[in-house]
Amino acid sequence: MIISASRRTDIPAFYTEWFLNRIKAGYVDVINPFDTTKASRLNLKSEYVTCIVFWTKNPKPLLKRIDELKDYRYYFQYTLNAYEKDVEPGVPPLEESIKTFIELSKKIGKEKVIWRYDPIILTKKYDIDWHVAKFEYLIDKLNKYTEKVVISFVDLYKKTNRNTKDLGLTPLGVKEMNILADKLSKLAHKHKLDIATCSEKIDLDKYGISHNKCIDNELIERLFNVEVTDKRDGQREACGCVACTDIGVYNTCLHRCKYCYATFNYKIANNNYRLHDPKSTTLIGKINNGVKIYLKEQTKVAKKSFKQGSLFDYAN
């Protein structure tokens, strides 16, 4: 089983202690976000976890304790934009984020740190020229510490309109996407970085930009030599991710990014954070007597076989 930690919140930034407590305990409870009377219990012992995929804008708290994951396979989706506090009020300063990115890469290897420049929004302040200039600045700093950059264009939902209305967003259509794709891809290829889009229907192949799988079975197999399902995850239509289980909770991130679909009500997020107990089996609150816990079916991780008909060995 692949663990996503997490599309719903920034676990490395705000919940490192809880996460490592669950690793030590060997299991975690995940309440169903659509039916809070049900929860899944996942086995977190290393032999049952194919890979952990971390999503973060600040892995610094986890980086300090990364050696506690020495028995696990993992990689990071590290979002590093250059927006100011009007868009990403809770994210660390840019230069600090760059420093942390480099430290993480040096510690675990650049192949395990994927740079995300997303989502791209357009305003009078953050126009195309601004994005190209900031992307060039960042890629000059980061190109030696990653192998891939992932971009996406902002998707706006009704629940995020309230948070973005003061930004004065300008339309980001096919024309704008193509202009950005052309300019950003040239910078990426200049530095020999792969570049891909996340959950985008638009075809940008002519710029050398592929459709990404953020939960990537091919990457996991290459990095760790283990068998991984190629079954799709069932996220958005254009999402290429393979199946995983997310252990996060919506409305729990404190970065307060204006475009975020996962944390869109800051009052609820603050209340949820106050309910967080690092010793609990679930991220927010505790499992009460009315919740039915279902054991998630998991099998031991198998090493990838290179000989037809040979048996798999269990991965360490």
Side-chain angles (χ1 to χ4, degrees), residues 16-260:
T16 282
E17 184 180 359
W18 170 83
F19 178 77
L20 293 177
N21 283 342
R22 300 323 312 150
I23 288 291
K24 291 175 184 175
Y27 72 97
V28 63
D29 293 328
V30 182
I31 296 176
N32 188 319
F34 308 107
D35 184 353
T36 56
T37 66
K38 298 177 181 178
S40 297
R41 177 162 291 181
L42 312 180
N43 188 331
L44 290 184
K45 293 179 180 179
S46 60
E47 61 265 34
Y48 288 93
V49 177
T50 306
C51 183
I52 303 167
V53 181
F54 293 107
W55 310 70
T56 186
K57 291 180 180 175
N58 180 20
K60 196 169 185 177
L62 182 57
L63 176 56
K64 295 176 181 177
R65 300 177 63 183
I66 200 71
D67 290 340
E68 294 178 42
L69 295 175
K70 59 182 176 59
D71 295 330
Y72 290 80
R73 295 162 288 274
Y74 57 83
Y75 65 92
F76 282 75
Q77 297 277 348
Y78 192 144
T79 298
L80 207 171
N81 303 316
Y83 297 120
E84 297 177 12
K85 296 298 183 182
D86 57 336
V87 176
E88 297 180 340
V91 174
L94 181 60
E95 296 306 317
E96 181 181 333
S97 294
I98 291 171
K99 182 180 178 181
T100 301
F101 190 105
I102 293 171
E103 288 178 358
L104 178 65
S105 176
K106 287 181 175 180
K107 181 72 175 180
I108 70 173
K110 66 179 183 178
E111 69 281 0
K112 297 178 185 176
V113 185
I114 297 170
W115 172 31
R116 300 181 69 90
Y117 185 82
D118 80 310
I120 294 171
I121 64 170
L122 290 184
T123 69
K124 287 184 178 180
K125 179 179 179 179
Y126 303 113
D127 60 11
I128 288 176
D129 289 340
W130 182 92
H131 279 288
V132 174
K134 292 299 183 182
F135 189 86
E136 184 171 22
Y137 176 78
L138 288 170
I139 207 167
D140 283 343
K141 298 281 188 178
L142 303 178
N143 72 86
K144 295 179 182 178
Y145 305 101
T146 186
E147 295 181 343
K148 187 174 190 177
V149 58
V150 176
I151 63 172
S152 75
F153 305 106
V154 69
D155 290 317
L156 296 176
Y157 306 91
K158 288 183 179 180
K159 59 189 178 183
T160 60
N161 285 342
R162 178 181 60 185
N163 298 328
T164 58
K165 66 180 181 179
D166 293 334
L167 295 177
L169 298 183
T170 57
L172 206 169
V174 172
K175 177 183 177 180
E176 290 77 17
M177 291 180 187
N178 275 276
I179 292 172
L180 282 161
D182 181 31
K183 293 179 180 295
L184 301 188
S185 66
K186 286 176 179 176
L187 289 168
H189 295 145
K190 174 185 175 182
H191 291 284
K192 297 180 172 55
L193 293 188
D194 290 337
I195 182 169
T197 57
C198 174
S199 292
E200 296 292 345
K201 294 180 181 180
I202 189 170
D203 185 353
L204 300 175
D205 283 350
K206 62 184 176 182
Y207 305 110
I209 300 177
S210 60
H211 292 283
N212 196 51
K213 292 188 285 188
C214 302
I215 308 290
D216 189 341
N217 57 309
E218 295 173 3
L219 175 65
I220 296 169
E221 289 178 349
R222 175 169 63 85
L223 291 179
F224 306 114
N225 188 34
V226 292
E227 284 290 318
V228 188
T229 179
D230 59 1
K231 180 181 178 182
R232 283 193 59 198
D233 194 31
Q235 295 283 320
R236 291 174 288 179
E237 182 181 348
C239 178
C241 290
V242 299
C244 66
T245 299
D246 200 293
I247 63 171
V249 177
Y250 293 111
N251 281 314
T252 57
C253 183
L254 302 184
H255 288 314
R256 306 190 309 281
C257 300
K258 298 295 181 68
Y259 49 73
C260 184

